[in-house]
Amino acid sequence: RAAIDAALDVLAASGAEGFTMQAVAAQADLSLRSLYNYFDTRERLLAEVFSALVKVSQHEVEVSTPPDSDPMQRLESFVAAHFDVLAAQRRHMALLLALRGVAELDERVHAIRAWRRRTLRQLLRDCSLRGAPLERAAAAAFPLTSFASYTSLTDDLSLDHDEAIKTVSHALRCLALSSAD
């Protein structure tokens, strides 16, 4: 855990280009050899850092989405919880997602995207969408809940965090209602 925390600190301070095993070992107050005992490559460490952020994200979304509430409320809770985590992890997530060609990291990115697709499909299915409307709604909902959409809403459109949540939640509500008709 100390190595993961140190890796997040190094990533935030130095970016991807300054992210070295030596820098992480120094930040974690570990010997380089000890760090390599836990993570045999820089890529493995990056993948584990991403996994740690994803676990927080999934946990927050799951605990913030009340299972006994109205389906539309669950959909809105999903957006709010997801965007809250993205806001908190913004800098780290941007740096990690900018790294391309790191096979283990790419696998983890694909896994979180698959989880988000499954979760959105279930939430939309609970909103009484079935068949083709479900697939169209899920395809549209996926990019609306991405990190790129969040940063675009908050940066390009200068919406504050709560306005971004309301905008996407409203769009998903309209999408679910119009697809159900």
Side-chain angles (χ1 to χ4, degrees):
R1 184 69 213 166
I4 297 288
D5 290 342
L8 285 167
D9 292 342
V10 169
L11 189 62
S14 306
E17 62 281 345
F19 187 88
T20 65
M21 295 296 274
Q22 293 86 356
V24 173
Q27 180 70 29
D29 198 27
L30 292 170
S31 71
L32 188 57
R33 181 181 172 113
S34 294
L35 183 61
Y36 273 108
N37 283 337
Y38 292 105
F39 308 100
D40 57 346
T41 64
R42 174 183 182 265
E43 290 74 20
R44 172 71 51 111
L45 178 55
L46 286 167
E48 292 303 322
V49 167
F50 184 76
S51 289
L53 292 175
V54 165
K55 285 177 187 171
V56 168
S57 175
Q58 287 177 317
H59 175 75
E60 290 301 315
V61 168
E62 288 167 358
V63 300
S64 298
T65 308
D68 56 347
S69 63
D70 171 80
M72 288 294 192
Q73 288 175 323
R74 288 198 318 269
L75 189 58
E76 290 176 20
S77 292
F78 172 86
V79 173
H82 194 68
F83 278 14
D84 287 348
V85 171
L86 290 176
Q89 298 176 350
R90 185 181 195 123
R91 178 151 169 75
H92 294 124
M93 199 58 76
L95 291 165
L96 285 166
L97 291 174
L99 295 171
R100 294 289 181 228
V102 177
E104 290 185 43
L105 185 56
D106 290 344
E107 289 171 17
R108 307 288 168 95
V109 169
H110 290 299
I112 188 64
R113 288 179 178 163
W115 170 81
R116 201 169 84 240
R117 276 188 201 94
R118 281 191 311 273
T119 303
L120 284 165
R121 270 196 190 95
Q122 185 57 53
L123 289 167
L124 291 165
R125 190 176 290 119
D126 291 348
C127 292
S128 300
L129 294 181
R130 301 278 186 262
L134 171 64
E135 293 309 312
R136 284 193 302 272
F142 185 74
L144 285 172
T145 58
S146 72
F147 179 71
S149 294
Y150 177 75
T151 56
S152 179
L153 289 167
T154 56
D155 294 352
D156 299 343
L157 294 179
S158 300
L159 298 179
D160 70 25
H161 179 72
D162 292 334
E163 291 170 326
I165 291 169
K166 287 177 187 171
T167 300
V168 170
S169 295
H170 178 73
L172 289 175
R173 207 172 32 254
C174 291
L175 180 69
L177 292 173
S178 68
S179 294
D181 291 338

